[in-house]
Amino acid sequence: MNFATWPALFVVDVEGNGANPPDLVEVAALPVREGGPDTSTAGAWLIRPPRPVTSRAASIHRLTNGLLAQSPTWGEVSDQVHELLSEAWICAHNAHIDYRVLKAHLPKWEPAGVLDTLRLAKATYKDLSGYSLDALIKHAAPDLTAAPAQRHRATYDAYATAQLLIAMASHYETWHQLVAVAVPPGLPGAPMPEEDPTLW
């Protein structure tokens, strides 16, 4: 895989407050450049949600109401997130969830395309018993020594997902081959189905 042929791409991860629909409490956007995660230009935001973080959500990502009390609101950071992501590709694990939540919070934003490492993993590692982020980390054993924070925080999960994307991309010769298996149908960037020939 020639990583120089890749378009601008951010691995994203979001954490919510446990409400339905969720309010954002953390967003991470990690660029992949030259075959590696570029932490020097990554974006990461902690956000004070309009509704409290549920105890269940806090037990998973450890972002409590007290911890977020001095963080900016989404309205204060949304323009920064939109500007960073711009019209680049995004990648996430089980990407339709992150895409849907980000799109709900950034209605004017539209990425060039959406890669899903869950979909990619099922095509690349066909015989695994599970495809959760933890299962893939165990299988592929990416180097996570430089990952920030800890598992279930957006910054850590984005870093782990980026390393998994890079590892799986080595199984494909071209960006277009990767896209063909990694973009879920109906999401931006999905290959257009070939039209049946007509008489006209």
Side-chain angles (χ1 to χ4, degrees):
M1 170 67 73
N2 180 5
F3 289 101
T5 64
W6 284 30
L9 182 145
F10 289 87
V11 177
V12 300
D13 191 75
V14 302
E15 301 296 337
N17 65 337
N20 188 18
D23 300 312
L24 291 170
V25 296
E26 188 177 26
V27 175
L30 177 62
V32 172
R33 294 192 176 99
E34 299 177 7
D38 181 7
T39 56
S40 67
T41 57
W45 297 267
L46 289 177
I47 300 146
R48 184 176 78 253
R51 294 172 290 177
V53 179
T54 66
S55 56
R56 182 177 182 276
S59 71
I60 296 171
H61 51 52
R62 304 181 193 173
L63 294 172
T64 63
N65 293 300
L67 185 67
L68 297 169
Q70 303 304 316
S71 297
T73 63
W74 175 248
E76 294 174 279
V77 302
S78 60
D79 286 348
Q80 298 172 34
V81 179
H82 193 169
E83 183 178 359
L84 182 65
L85 294 177
S86 186
E87 298 174 359
W89 281 72
I90 65 166
C91 173
H93 195 67
N94 210 2
H96 72 279
I97 295 176
D98 297 80
Y99 170 72
R100 186 175 67 232
V101 173
L102 279 171
K103 184 67 176 170
H105 285 78
L106 295 171
K108 295 181 180 179
W109 165 73
E110 189 69 15
V114 180
L115 299 180
D116 182 6
T117 48
L118 175 60
R119 183 178 177 86
L120 179 60
K122 289 180 176 179
T124 309
Y125 306 133
K126 297 184 184 296
D127 300 320
L128 298 189
S129 58
Y131 292 91
S132 67
L133 198 58
D134 287 321
L136 293 174
I137 290 171
K138 183 177 180 180
H139 175 75
D143 181 2
L144 300 180
T145 53
Q150 70 276 339
R151 179 74 174 91
H152 298 297
R153 286 288 302 275
T155 49
Y156 183 101
D157 290 0
Y159 189 93
T161 301
Q163 294 289 50
L164 289 168
L165 170 65
I166 293 159
M168 289 187 286
S170 66
H171 293 257
Y172 300 86
E173 292 184 4
T174 68
W175 166 257
H176 294 293
Q177 289 178 0
L178 186 72
V179 165
V181 296
V183 180
L187 291 191
M192 295 294 291
E194 293 185 11
E195 296 183 2
D196 292 332
T198 65
L199 295 175
W200 298 279

